[in-house]
Amino acid sequence: MNRPITDWRGRSVWLIGASSGIGLATARALHAAGARVVVSARKAELLQQFVDAHPNAQAAVLDVGDMAAIAQAAKYVQAQQGLDVVMYCAGYYHPVRATQYPLTEMLRHQDVNYTGALRVLEAVLPELLAQQSGHISLIASVAGFRGLPQSLAYGPTKAALINLAEALYYDLSPHGIGVSVITPGFVETPLVSGNDFPMPALISPAKAAQEIIKGWRQGVFQIHFPKRFTRLLQLLRVLPYRWYFALVRRATGM
C-alpha cells in the first residue's frame, strides 16, 4: 500500500516524542541504519543525551501543544536535511474510569495524543505535498480498536489517530506520500510502568522499533505487534457487542 522503505542511508527522519520509549528506540535503530535523525520532545536534556551518543543526529526541543514551536522545528528540519519520514510518537496515558471522571485528564490525553498530531500535520503537509513524496507515520494503539476498561481517556484518542491515518491515506497516496498507522500492544515503556494489571505479550521498545522498521520495509499501512496479541484484538473488533463486552469483562474482571 505504501512505497517500501528498504534503504535508510541518507534518509531524513523526524521523530516527535522521541525522548523515551518506542520513539527513542526507533530513533536509535534508524540512526544505526544510516538515517539522518532529528528527535523532538519537551525534555532538552534527554534529547541532548541522544545527540551526544549518536554522531550527526540533531534535536529540536518542542512541546506538542505549542504550534509556534512545532512550526519552527519543522522549518529547521526542512532547512537542515529535508523531510522524508515524519513519525508522531508523542503519547500520554493515565488510567481513567467514568466513575471518577476527570475532565482535565480527558482533555490532556486529547491534546497530547491527537491534537498534537494535527499540529504536526499543519507544519509538514505543505512541504510534503510540494515535493510529492515522503511518509507520515502515527503511533496509535490496540486500545483504539474498541473501548476497554480504564481506557476512557486514552482509547478514544488512539481510535481517532487510526481514523485520521485512514483518511490521510486516501488523500495523500495519490501524491506519492505514504501513510502508516502503528498499533502496538503492550510495550515496556514509561507510559505503562504504573499499570497494576497483567500486560500480555509485553515486549521491549527495541523489539517494537524493529517491528516498525519491518513494517516500513514491507510497505504496509497498519503496523501491529506483537502479532500473537494484536491479531486477537483485531478479531475482537468484529464481534457483536453482546459477545465483546462479556469476553472483555471475563478477561479483565471489570
Side-chain angles (χ1 to χ4, degrees):
M1 293 183 66
N2 292 307
R3 184 177 301 166
I5 305 176
T6 58
D7 187 358
W8 290 96
R9 290 172 296 180
R11 194 180 294 268
S12 169
V13 188
W14 184 25
L15 302 100
I16 300 99
S19 60
S20 65
I22 295 175
L24 176 60
T26 306
R28 287 171 174 160
L30 291 173
H31 183 272
R36 296 180 295 160
V37 173
V38 180
V39 290
S40 288
R42 291 179 302 157
K43 298 179 180 178
E45 65 277 12
L46 295 181
L47 298 182
Q48 191 58 50
Q49 288 175 18
F50 177 83
V51 170
D52 291 343
H54 298 82
N56 300 318
Q58 299 182 65
V61 180
L62 60 82
D63 186 315
V64 296
D66 186 340
M67 186 66 236
I70 293 171
Q72 182 178 359
K75 289 179 181 177
Y76 169 79
V77 175
Q78 176 66 24
Q80 290 292 308
Q81 58 190 40
L83 287 170
D84 292 323
V85 177
V86 179
M87 180 178 178
Y88 189 79
C89 349
Y92 176 72
Y93 166 72
H94 185 77
V96 172
R97 305 200 73 181
T99 49
Q100 294 180 315
Y101 183 83
L103 180 60
T104 53
E105 281 292 336
M106 299 293 291
L107 295 177
R108 175 157 174 74
H109 280 79
Q110 177 179 291
D111 193 57
V112 175
N113 296 349
Y114 181 68
T115 310
L118 300 184
R119 296 186 185 103
V120 170
L121 289 172
E122 166 77 10
V124 303
L125 279 178
E127 293 294 342
L128 295 177
L129 286 167
Q131 68 193 30
Q132 294 284 287
S133 66
H135 189 101
I136 296 169
S137 206
L138 306 175
I139 293 192
S141 167
V142 294
F145 289 173
R146 298 191 79 164
L148 293 169
Q150 299 196 65
S151 194
L152 189 72
Y154 183 75
T157 64
K158 296 303 183 176
L161 282 178
I162 294 170
N163 193 290
L164 175 65
E166 291 169 350
L168 284 171
Y169 183 83
Y170 281 119
D171 289 345
L172 298 182
S173 57
H175 295 275
I177 302 167
V179 178
S180 56
V181 63
I182 300 163
T183 53
F186 291 109
V187 181
E188 195 173 4
T189 70
L191 211 64
V192 303
S193 60
N195 283 351
D196 58 358
F197 54 85
M199 293 182 281
L202 183 69
I203 65 171
S204 69
K207 176 61 175 174
Q210 291 305 316
E211 291 290 341
I212 291 168
I213 292 173
K214 177 182 177 182
W216 285 330
R217 184 171 64 248
Q218 294 174 338
V220 297
F221 170 76
Q222 184 192 28
I223 303 171
H224 62 98
F225 52 85
K227 289 184 173 56
R228 64 187 184 278
F229 179 65
T230 54
R231 281 175 176 154
L232 173 62
L233 270 291
Q234 289 202 5
L235 177 63
L236 292 179
R237 297 176 82 177
V238 302
L239 289 181
Y241 280 116
R242 182 184 298 273
W243 296 356
Y244 172 73
F245 287 135
L247 282 172
V248 172
R249 282 198 175 110
R250 184 179 303 172
T252 63
M254 295 182 182

